[in-house]
Amino acid sequence: MNREETIILGAGLAGLSAAYHLKSGYALFEKDNEIGGMARSIHKDGYIFDYDGHLLHFRNKYTFNLASELLNGNMAPHKRNSWVYSKGIFTRYPFQANFYGLPNSVVKDCLMGLIKARLPLIQPSPHRGEGKGEGNFENWIIKTFGEGIANHFMLPYNRKFWTIEPKELTCEWLDGFVPVPDLEDTVTGAISDNTKPYGYNSRFWYPVKGGISELAKGFSERIRNIHVNKKAVTIDQHRKEVVFADATIKKFKNMVTTMPLPELSNLLVDMPLDVRRAFSMLRWTSIFVLNIGIKSDNLTEKHWVYYPEENVIFYRIGFPTSFSMDVAPERKISIYAEIAYSDTKKIDKNEAISKAMSDLKRCGIISDESSVEICLPMDIKYGYALYDSNRKHAVQVIKDYLEKFGIYTIGRYGSWRYMSMEDVILDGKKIAESLKFKV
Ligand SMILES: Cc1cc2nc3c(=O)[nH]c(=O)nc-3n(C[C@H](O)[C@H](O)[C@H](O)COP(=O)(O)OP(=O)(O)OC[C@H]3O[C@@H](n4cnc5c(N)ncnc54)[C@H](O)[C@@H]3O)c2cc1C
């Protein structure tokens, strides 16, 4: 048994970033045979499939510079070209600023709903920046956008995406993820093709070559002491020891864990009842992703499309070949189709594949199934943490308990938050800085 100052569990971007910023005094252990976690890519038959569409959005100059350095120039900017498909028509994303082209009755519903929602309030965009406060998501949608936009897009789409009723969700996660256009912009988008960009992801970056796994590769070239095929199976927080599947044991002073909280709860020993109860309250959605390669000369310029209607099984599809030509062989394109499920909304995966194929055909994305060369399903067990009314308190109880033992749980699934790649890189940096300060 030997001792490391800091043990990091998980070589996804959060763990890699923690190691990169710590620089020394750590050992990083990953259960799988490769690094990258959710930000990995699979090479198959000339295609490069990310686990799911993974695009880089930057709100922070530091992460932009870091990603540029890690990717060594292998990163191109893109102006988002995303759409919504409903009533058999493509409209620009975000729906709440673009219903031009939809039937007149829908446009009228959306405009009247918005006007009624905004009329009592004198300011043109009263809810801009809101969403961090209390209250449920359904109420926020109706108060912010009105009944028309709620019924024609926001509610059906979010039901499909979160797999539960929007009224069961809090608004803590919004933080700019749902754009709130001005009334004037919405009117412009109702009567004309409005190309004005909205939201946090109106510009994004993507590796020119190699898929999103290039980012993790960039980290791994700059850090040492990474051990793959090392699955932690027991964490004795009282003795400050971790046991791995190969029966090796490591002692630690501090631990940074990035594994999903429900998995972590199975590894810890002798927890008090309130902490066990907090772990048991966590809920999440899973994503069944179909990565599809097709023979086609028709390279679309669309980046991705949202599908709010219930009769289409996927909530979104994307076209990786529109971000990088390197991810598919010549005269072929790749598509990902995302299907959400959870304990409350189960799916049969074989049926989901057949339904997705027939929906792709019905929606005009593929001409016939014989053009499909490859369909690689990927099951992402932990997709999105569900922001129900228990989440915040439960996560706080867990974090407070673990920190007493020098265990810090970070990253998208360790913090149990809606976090992007940029967010988890910053989370890794933050914990590294605070641990260096503690030493
Ligand atoms: C469907 C989907 C689409 C997304 N799209 C985008 C996007 O377009 N842009 C964007 O910025 N972000 C996107 N994200 C978010 C992004 O993937 C995450 O924020 C980020 O990759 C999470 O990194 P992480 O290190 O926190 O977690 P992970 O990547 O999950 O890393 C955790 C690591 O811990 C390892 N581990 C687990 N258990 C153990 C154990 N017992 N012992 C040792 N190791 C263990 C795992 O194998 C894994 O490698 C998306 C996420 C999802 C689910």
Side-chain angles (χ1 to χ4, degrees):
M1 184 191 311
N2 40 35
R3 181 187 182 115
E4 296 291 341
E5 186 98 350
T6 299
I7 280 189
I8 304 171
L9 294 181
L13 294 178
L16 289 167
S17 169
Y20 173 85
H21 289 98
L22 270 170
K23 291 193 170 66
S24 60
Y26 68 84
L28 170 51
F29 299 98
E30 165 57 49
K31 76 171 168 55
D32 288 340
N33 62 1
E34 56 178 354
I35 60 157
M38 270 300 301
R40 261 184 286 183
S41 315
I42 291 180
H43 293 242
K44 193 154 171 58
D45 300 344
Y47 291 92
I48 302 174
F49 294 117
D50 294 342
Y51 265 43
D52 192 10
H54 264 78
L55 314 171
L56 289 158
H57 318 289
F58 299 106
R59 304 191 213 206
N60 185 299
K61 191 81 189 147
Y62 175 80
T63 30
F64 175 78
N65 290 339
L66 176 61
S68 308
E69 186 203 319
L70 296 175
L71 288 165
N72 201 14
N74 176 24
M75 178 169 97
H78 300 269
K79 207 172 130 205
R80 183 190 63 209
N81 181 15
S82 59
W83 296 76
V84 175
Y85 185 81
S86 62
K87 314 264 183 299
I89 291 162
F90 285 103
T91 48
R92 285 187 193 277
Y93 170 86
F95 182 90
Q96 56 271 33
N98 298 288
F99 7 94
Y100 179 64
L102 284 169
N104 285 345
S105 58
V106 176
V107 176
K108 185 177 163 204
D109 277 356
C110 293
L111 277 179
M112 286 313 294
L114 183 66
I115 290 165
K116 280 185 198 153
R118 298 275 168 96
L119 212 55
L121 306 146
I122 297 139
Q123 308 151 47
S125 182
H127 302 285
R128 185 184 287 281
E130 274 194 13
K132 283 185 158 185
E134 303 305 314
N136 78 55
F137 183 40
E138 178 168 327
N139 284 345
W140 180 83
I141 288 173
I142 293 170
K143 266 174 65 185
T144 307
F145 301 115
E147 302 271 353
I149 294 174
N151 292 330
H152 289 293
F153 179 77
M154 283 289 175
L155 293 176
Y157 178 76
N158 281 292
R159 253 177 222 128
K160 213 168 156 180
F161 178 77
W162 291 106
T163 75
I164 60 172
E165 282 300 317
K167 63 170 172 276
E168 289 182 63
L169 294 166
T170 68
C171 296
E172 299 152 83
W173 58 277
L174 286 178
D175 193 23
F177 279 116
V178 182
V180 182
D182 284 336
L183 183 57
E184 192 179 334
D185 284 345
T186 307
V187 171
T188 309
I191 59 170
S192 63
D193 184 25
N194 181 13
T195 54
K196 183 171 169 179
Y198 299 93
Y200 75 101
N201 62 359
S202 61
R203 251 161 89 79
F204 65 88
W205 280 257
Y206 190 77
V208 179
K209 287 190 174 296
I212 200 61
S213 59
E214 292 297 302
L215 189 61
K217 210 164 119 196
F219 268 125
S220 72
E221 285 160 2
R222 289 161 177 81
I223 55 186
R224 286 173 300 154
N225 226 356
I226 305 180
H227 308 268
V228 293
N229 289 318
K230 284 292 259 190
K231 180 176 182 178
V233 290
T234 306
I235 298 171
D236 187 331
Q237 66 274 29
H238 307 281
R239 296 164 63 102
K240 302 192 83 163
E241 278 177 14
V242 51
V243 183
F244 293 94
D246 60 7
T248 53
I249 302 175
K250 289 255 175 208
K251 273 197 153 306
F252 59 87
K253 180 174 173 203
N254 299 304
M255 172 180 279
V256 174
T257 158
T258 64
M259 74 173 77
L261 289 181
E263 302 290 326
L264 179 65
S265 74
N266 297 327
L267 270 53
L268 294 160
V269 298
D270 296 333
M271 282 185 284
L273 188 62
D274 64 322
V275 180
R276 270 188 282 144
R277 198 178 287 136
F279 273 115
S280 73
M281 282 177 173
L282 303 175
R283 295 167 70 201
W284 62 91
T285 65
S286 305
I287 314 290
F288 188 54
V289 186
L290 300 181
N291 279 299
I292 300 164
I294 60 173
K295 289 180 249 161
S296 172
D297 288 326
N298 243 343
L299 195 64
T300 175
E301 288 185 354
K302 291 188 173 71
H303 290 135
W304 62 89
V305 183
Y306 298 91
Y307 289 83
E309 288 168 342
E310 219 183 314
N311 63 354
V312 176
I313 190 164
F314 34 81
Y315 63 83
R316 184 170 60 181
I317 62 170
F319 302 94
T321 26
S322 64
F323 332 134
S324 160
M325 298 287 283
D326 186 52
V327 298
E330 225 174 289
R331 307 187 70 183
K332 294 178 181 175
I333 66 169
S334 61
I335 301 173
Y336 57 84
E338 300 166 283
I339 301 162
Y341 70 99
S342 65
D343 272 359
T344 46
K345 187 189 171 196
K346 297 196 169 31
I347 55 164
D348 174 304
K349 291 180 188 144
N350 288 326
E351 278 172 22
I353 295 174
S354 330
K355 171 86 171 99
M357 287 299 168
S358 73
D359 287 349
L360 284 169
K361 223 166 114 184
R362 195 160 53 86
C363 298
I365 303 299
I366 57 173
S367 49
D368 70 280
E369 284 183 38
S370 64
S371 62
V372 174
E373 277 204 322
I374 179 170
C375 175
L376 193 67
M378 286 179 196
D379 201 3
I380 301 173
K381 178 172 176 185
Y382 300 102
Y384 293 80
L386 276 172
Y387 277 73
D388 64 11
S389 55
N390 294 321
R391 188 206 69 94
K392 192 173 173 186
H393 177 68
V395 172
Q396 198 57 54
V397 169
I398 293 166
K399 286 202 163 213
D400 288 349
Y401 173 72
L402 292 175
E403 285 180 17
K404 287 186 211 149
F405 303 97
I407 299 177
Y408 303 92
T409 173
I410 67 155
R412 180 175 172 107
Y413 304 104
S415 305
W416 209 245
R417 282 173 50 206
Y418 191 162
M419 292 172 97
S420 66
M421 293 186 280
E422 174 179 51
D423 295 331
V424 304
I425 289 171
L426 289 173
D427 218 20
K429 176 175 184 279
K430 190 169 154 203
I431 191 66
E433 282 163 359
S434 92
L435 289 178
K436 277 199 276 190
F437 186 68
K438 278 199 175 93
V439 172

